[in-house]
Amino acid sequence: PMIEPERLGYVSSVYVQPKWRNRGIGAALLAACVRACEDAEVDAVILWPTPQSRTLYERAGFAVRGDLFERR
């Protein structure tokens, strides 16, 4: 609703089918999202994790900020 002085990137969903989990696929998908945001020179990447996905995002450098995760 207002002009933001920062450029923000949003990751709305990273999903790996259960039979393919724990093989690094989610980390690779997330790394591609982060690289795209870095290439676009965003200031922060925002996402809303599920309880199951929190460790994936924490390993990628995201930090808890209230109800969302953020990586700067």
Side-chain angles (χ1 to χ4, degrees), residues 30-52:
L30 183 58
C33 293
V34 169
R35 275 193 306 277
C37 289
E38 289 170 346
D39 291 347
E41 299 181 349
V42 300
D43 297 303
V45 182
I46 308 288
L47 57 85
W48 290 264
T50 64
Q52 298 85 358

